[in-house]
Amino acid sequence: MANQTLLLSRRIIPHPTMTLPSPRSQVLDESIIKEQVLSTHNYDGRKFNTNFILSIVENILSIKMCYGVEGIAEEAGVEKLNQLEELINYEELPSHIRQLSFEIASAGLKSSAKNEHSTTIDVLRILCSYCWEDKMVLMLSAFSIVYGELSRVSRLAMPQKLEQLSQKAVVDCITSVLQLTKCVVELKQSTSSNYSTPQSIISALPIASYWIGRSVIGSVAAAYYCDSQVAELTTSTAAILHTFSSELEKKRAEESYEALKRALYYTSSSKVEVFKLMFNVKDGEMRFKDNGLNDWNTTRVALLITQGLDISDLRIYFLNWFAERAKTRLLWIPIPQNDDASWTTKDEQQFAELKRRMPSLYWSDNLQKKISPQFIRFVKEQLFPDFQMGGEPIIVSLDQQGRIVHPNIMHMIHIWTFKYIEENTLGVQGIYSITALVKEELKKGTSNINRVIPEINDMISVLVGDINHKIVAWGQNIEKRIQHLIEQSTPYNHEREKFLWQQEPNFSLDRVVGTHGRHVYIDYEIQNWLGTENYIFLYGGNDINWIRGFTSKVHQLCSKIQLKVKLAYVGKNMIIRSIVDKEKMSLCALDDSYVVGRFWTRLQSMFLSRIYYLDSINHFDEECNDEILQGLKKLLAYEGKNTRIEGWALLSKGNKVVVCGHGAKILQVINDYEIWKENIATKGFDEAFKDHHETPLTSSSLKSHSCCALEYPTTLNKIPENEKCPECSYSMHKFVTFTCCHGHDTDLEEEMYH
């Protein structure tokens, strides 16, 4: 059947002829060669086990190269014969491989430029029905048979030929051919869904096939005649190999990237396996602080990923605090901002200083030399664009298999304490009281047989004891399984964050100031206020005249109507805060700039995390009127970096928020007390205040108040196209603002160390 195919191909495919000058004296016309090669190609889809045959060929050729090494020739010869027999007898090898071997051997005996060229075209015509990479493998297979047989005969009868087989020029030529063939095969066997062989490489396959054929024929000739000009064939093949090798590196990089993505998102078996992909290391080659790779398999891990060494003092303080207390290791990975991952001496010094200041975190020395390019790409393409906010660090949470279960828990750990997040809410409840009910029912059911069976109560006690023992054992088994599940998972995941938000039904004062389970950065005196029915004003702003007017009016009103009202300044303005404290206008609930930064960062994190939560349950859109989100919008709009609002205030009764509004409007409501005071008797102060606040007010002072600005990070993919002002409901204008705080989260951050 193979011969019939061969004859048929010869009838339908023309056989171009041309007179070529010696390729060793001048350059051949590549376009003519390519045209001839393409005329031989008529691929019909047939396949064979390319990788297996190539591995045998590689073994034969690699063993051949050992003949020049003293002391192993005999062993190599036996091994090569075994490999040669395996190749010849391999059932999937095309039956006309012997014909190829004969063509190559014959050409070697009649070596000339014209003969080598025409034989190469003949060989390619025989292989017309195969794809280009299979042609290369089959030509190399035929060559390895010729080479193997020749070396076997030479070894027994013509030792001098054995030396010619091992001459450096021949070995170099065959090595180049083998590398090129392996390169092409690997390129054509991509496992990445995102990689396809570029047209430039596909177009180069015919010429690559041609020069592989020329090279194997020339190498046989060199073995017969000790032809030193085989080096020129090596040069031609090496030039093609350079092009294919460069593309192969791109393909391998793409496949490594896809493998890392699969491991981090879907199919990882352990954290160690993920770390090997992230850092291009093997077992025992990498340590994080004092811990080797395998020490990380049984502990919770989160990746602190920073943009270069850009991490503020405020972040350092908070992350150290978290890492010291949480049952999760923080592994710090700085990602280089440019393609050159090398560090300068200044970078090394800065890294050493940051390590000193973050002793509770984990890291690896010389990390910039170990981190894999595919992980850098993953962070820049998959994480930073969607989850990094304004260049801030992100914390990626991994499960026990090393898969990402949350792309950035930074907001989560700002909002809730680690104890509350890690708190186990699973367990067996209510089953241990069953035995008392069983005992009671048994006694009721046997009350009329006490006289017949006096020991019935003892029998009931024994039965109930047995039941209780089994229930306790069953419950303990369930608890052990729950504990095992907890140890094999991490609470820092999307589901836990979603559960925590489900426990937050409305916008209340404890959501703002923090209580049990939430971080508390505000004066603890306010915690005592929440448990009372006192009225509480939290306020802020940047105009000291408004501040003085507001606090004075509140005190006057409270004195007038004998109302208990507490006031606390929580704004960011340091100058206003110092004046409020000095003049004793009210409590300054935020002690210093660090606390100010943490308090408002927590509210910003609540805002962003709430958006993600609402989106996850399909409740976030431009018409979203979620109570918590709207309340956070107002506070953040009043104290935004780009606003200089005169003042604002939030009124609550105990924990219940009554109103939150612009200072001018709040002050107007207080000034209008005489208008709405009649409603206090029926509605109470809080509802009467709220009703009047919601009444449209027309005072000219309200028309001139400062603008509000609500800030969204541009990396947030849920920014509404149209945003209504949280104060007046007019459509807000959209701007893009570039902000730099010169390494600080707040302008006043340095106070945290004073």
Side-chain angles (χ1 to χ4, degrees):
M1 183 65 185
N3 290 334
Q4 292 174 351
T5 303
L6 177 62
L7 293 173
L8 177 62
S9 66
R10 284 179 174 170
R11 284 196 298 271
I12 64 173
I13 299 177
H15 183 189
T17 59
M18 64 176 293
T19 302
L20 292 170
S22 170
R24 299 156 191 173
S25 61
Q26 65 184 82
V27 178
L28 294 170
D29 188 333
E30 186 175 286
S31 63
I32 296 177
I33 294 175
K34 185 174 182 180
E35 182 180 349
Q36 285 189 305
V37 172
L38 286 172
S39 73
T40 69
H41 188 59
N42 188 28
Y43 178 48
D44 63 5
R46 66 181 67 190
K47 294 183 180 296
F48 57 88
N49 194 334
T50 306
N51 292 328
F52 181 74
I53 293 178
L54 186 57
S55 67
I56 297 177
V57 170
E58 185 175 11
N59 287 337
I60 293 173
L61 296 177
S62 63
I63 292 169
K64 172 65 209 70
M65 295 174 191
C66 296
Y67 278 117
V69 182
E70 186 178 353
I72 64 172
E74 187 66 32
E75 180 182 351
V78 173
E79 176 67 19
K80 183 167 72 62
L81 287 175
N82 293 335
Q83 293 286 341
L84 184 59
E85 291 299 322
E86 184 177 3
L87 177 61
I88 293 172
N89 296 322
Y90 183 56
E91 61 181 13
E92 283 195 31
L93 196 65
S95 58
H96 48 251
I97 193 71
R98 279 294 188 180
Q99 183 181 359
L100 285 178
S101 305
F102 177 76
E103 293 275 359
I104 291 172
S106 299
L109 290 171
K110 302 177 292 183
S111 179
S112 69
K114 179 180 179 181
N115 184 61
E116 289 176 14
H117 171 76
S118 61
T119 303
T120 301
I121 297 300
D122 284 340
V123 166
L124 290 171
R125 186 173 290 105
I126 294 172
L127 299 174
C128 65
S129 301
Y130 296 94
C131 60
W132 295 110
E133 63 269 25
D134 285 353
K135 294 180 199 288
M136 298 176 189
V137 172
L138 289 173
M139 285 189 287
L140 203 54
S141 301
F143 168 77
S144 68
I145 292 173
V146 174
Y147 223 25
E149 295 286 5
L150 182 60
S151 63
R152 178 163 55 181
V153 173
S154 299
R155 182 171 170 272
L156 297 174
M158 296 178 290
Q160 73 279 7
K161 290 297 181 186
L162 197 59
E163 295 179 6
Q164 294 175 17
L165 287 168
S166 302
Q167 62 179 302
K168 185 177 185 301
V170 175
V171 170
D172 287 347
C173 185
I174 295 307
T175 300
S176 182
V177 167
L178 179 60
Q179 289 176 343
L180 177 56
T181 303
K182 291 171 62 179
C183 185
V184 172
V185 169
E186 187 175 345
L187 269 173
K188 295 289 285 181
Q189 295 177 346
S190 177
T191 59
S192 172
S193 59
N194 291 331
Y195 177 84
S196 58
T197 308
Q199 188 58 43
S200 59
I201 293 297
I202 295 174
S203 298
L205 289 173
I207 290 297
S209 300
Y210 173 82
W211 283 111
I212 284 177
R214 282 295 299 268
S215 297
V216 297
I217 293 170
S219 295
V220 172
Y224 282 119
Y225 302 111
C226 198
D227 186 353
S228 61
Q229 292 182 333
V230 74
E232 296 180 26
L233 293 169
T234 306
T235 301
S236 298
T237 308
I240 300 171
L241 175 62
H242 177 74
T243 300
F244 279 81
S245 296
S246 299
E247 187 60 35
L248 181 59
E249 288 303 312
K250 296 178 184 177
K251 171 184 172 289
R252 287 174 175 172
E254 189 64 40
E255 289 180 341
S256 296
Y257 178 66
E258 291 295 319
L260 178 64
K261 279 177 62 178
R262 287 194 299 272
L264 286 169
Y265 284 144
Y266 309 112
T267 60
S268 172
S269 59
S270 70
K271 287 194 288 291
V272 168
E273 294 306 313
V274 172
F275 285 171
K276 288 178 182 178
L277 292 171
M278 288 167 51
F279 303 112
N280 281 334
V281 293
K282 299 177 182 178
D283 292 330
E285 290 186 358
M286 190 170 192
R287 300 188 70 81
F288 300 103
K289 202 182 279 189
D290 297 326
N291 300 82
L293 277 180
N294 288 325
D295 296 329
W296 290 71
N297 257 342
T298 56
T299 188
R300 291 173 183 165
V301 177
L303 310 177
L304 171 64
I305 302 178
T306 61
Q307 196 164 290
L309 300 173
D310 185 12
I311 182 168
S312 67
D313 292 339
L314 201 62
R315 292 289 184 196
I316 290 172
Y317 190 91
F318 175 75
L319 291 170
N320 252 333
W321 180 89
F322 175 79
E324 285 174 3
R325 294 163 175 80
K327 297 176 182 178
T328 298
R329 289 181 182 176
L330 272 186
L331 174 60
W332 178 32
I333 306 175
I335 298 296
Q337 299 186 52
N338 47 40
D339 294 335
D340 182 7
S342 60
W343 282 3
T344 64
T345 302
K346 183 179 179 181
D347 291 331
E348 295 285 357
Q349 293 172 347
Q350 186 180 357
F351 183 59
E353 174 62 16
L354 288 171
K355 287 193 301 182
R356 184 190 66 78
R357 294 181 59 193
M358 296 190 291
S360 299
L361 274 65
Y362 290 79
W363 60 81
S364 177
D365 289 322
N366 297 319
L367 186 62
Q368 74 281 5
K369 298 178 182 177
K370 299 171 184 175
I371 188 169
S372 67
Q374 57 263 28
F375 182 67
I376 294 175
R377 178 185 169 191
F378 178 83
V379 170
K380 291 183 176 181
E381 291 185 5
Q382 299 287 318
L383 299 178
F384 278 174
D386 291 332
F387 305 105
Q388 187 189 39
M389 303 302 172
E392 293 290 346
I394 63 173
I395 302 179
V396 181
S397 180
L398 306 179
D399 66 9
Q400 290 299 84
Q401 284 71 48
R403 295 170 300 191
I404 294 176
V405 290
H406 200 302
N408 187 13
I409 64 170
M410 187 71 80
H411 303 313
M412 189 178 182
I413 65 176
H414 276 318
I415 301 168
W416 297 285
T417 65
F418 70 93
K419 286 185 178 180
Y420 188 58
I421 295 172
E422 296 177 0
E423 182 181 30
N424 174 27
T425 58
L426 300 175
V428 178
Q429 300 175 355
I431 65 169
Y432 302 111
S433 60
I434 292 176
T435 52
L437 297 174
V438 171
K439 187 173 184 178
E440 182 179 349
E441 291 300 317
L442 287 173
K443 284 188 174 183
K444 286 181 180 179
T446 58
S447 60
N448 61 344
I449 59 172
N450 282 338
R451 287 176 293 177
V452 180
I453 307 176
E455 66 275 17
I456 189 65
N457 287 336
D458 293 336
M459 294 172 65
I460 290 173
S461 297
V462 171
L463 176 60
V464 170
D466 289 342
I467 293 173
N468 185 66
H469 177 74
K470 290 182 178 180
I471 289 176
V472 169
W474 183 84
Q476 290 174 344
N477 179 53
I478 296 298
E479 295 286 357
K480 286 181 180 179
R481 293 183 65 175
I482 290 173
Q483 187 60 35
H484 177 72
L485 288 172
I486 291 172
E487 291 171 355
Q488 294 299 310
S489 62
T490 174
Y492 297 96
N493 57 56
H494 276 303
E495 289 304 313
R496 182 62 175 168
E497 185 176 27
K498 186 175 179 179
F499 172 81
L500 294 175
W501 272 121
Q502 289 169 345
Q503 314 311 305
E504 312 272 358
N506 49 48
F507 185 62
S508 55
L509 193 60
D510 59 357
R511 306 284 183 270
V512 177
V513 302
T515 55
H516 169 69
R518 307 176 192 87
H519 286 295
V520 179
Y521 300 106
I522 207 163
D523 193 300
Y524 276 96
E525 183 177 344
I526 294 183
Q527 304 298 309
N528 298 326
W529 296 353
L530 296 178
T532 70
E533 289 296 304
N534 288 335
Y535 290 97
I536 303 167
F537 270 114
L538 298 186
Y539 69 99
N542 301 285
D543 184 342
I544 190 60
N545 292 324
W546 182 90
I547 299 291
R548 287 190 177 114
F550 168 72
T551 54
S552 174
K553 290 288 185 179
V554 170
H555 288 310
Q556 291 175 18
L557 179 61
C558 294
S559 175
K560 182 177 182 179
I561 63 176
Q562 299 297 303
L563 190 70
K564 291 183 178 180
V565 176
K566 305 290 186 179
L567 287 95
Y569 180 81
V570 294
K572 296 180 182 179
N573 193 304
M574 181 188 70
I575 297 174
I576 297 294
R577 189 175 76 237
S578 63
I579 295 174
V580 168
D581 189 47
K582 182 179 180 180
E583 298 182 9
K584 300 187 184 305
M585 298 182 208
S586 72
L587 174 70
C588 285
L590 305 176
D591 296 335
D592 54 41
S593 293
Y594 169 74
V595 177
V596 170
R598 291 267 41 89
F599 177 81
W600 287 99
T601 297
R602 176 178 170 274
L603 292 180
Q604 176 74 9
S605 288
M606 286 181 68
F607 172 62
L608 297 173
S609 177
R610 186 69 178 179
I611 289 175
Y612 283 120
Y613 164 69
L614 293 172
D615 185 62
S616 72
I617 59 174
N618 298 318
H619 284 181
F620 182 74
D621 54 36
E622 292 182 4
E623 301 301 322
C624 178
N625 59 355
D626 177 72
E627 180 183 332
I628 295 177
L629 188 65
Q630 294 303 318
L632 292 169
K633 280 183 179 182
K634 282 191 174 185
L635 293 174
L636 294 171
Y638 298 150
E639 290 286 339
K641 292 179 182 178
N642 298 308
T643 58
R644 300 295 295 177
I645 198 167
E646 295 91 340
W648 62 270
L650 180 152
L651 172 64
S652 75
K653 183 179 182 181
N655 191 38
K656 181 183 177 182
V657 173
V658 179
V659 295
C660 180
H662 193 284
K665 195 169 184 179
I666 292 289
L667 193 55
Q668 183 67 44
V669 173
I670 295 173
N671 289 332
D672 289 347
Y673 170 71
E674 295 297 329
I675 298 175
W676 54 270
K677 68 179 182 179
E678 301 298 331
N679 296 328
I680 295 177
T682 56
K683 296 183 177 181
F685 177 83
D686 52 335
E687 289 300 320
F689 190 102
K690 180 180 179 180
D691 286 349
H692 194 69
H693 181 267
E694 292 177 351
T695 301
L697 303 177
T698 58
S699 171
S700 60
S701 63
L702 300 182
K703 298 178 181 179
S704 60
H705 64 66
S706 299
C707 299
C708 293
L710 182 62
E711 297 174 354
Y712 286 90
T714 55
T715 50
L716 183 69
N717 59 7
K718 300 300 177 185
I719 302 176
E721 281 299 317
N722 299 294
E723 180 71 60
K724 291 182 179 180
C725 175
E727 178 62 29
C728 65
S729 297
Y730 281 103
S731 293
M732 303 181 78
H733 299 289
K734 183 187 290 187
F735 297 93
V736 176
T737 303
F738 294 90
T739 302
C740 178
C741 296
H742 313 297
H744 303 286
D745 283 351
T746 69
D747 296 334
L748 313 172
E749 187 182 67
E750 63 274 7
E751 280 194 8
M752 63 183 282
Y753 296 112
H754 296 344

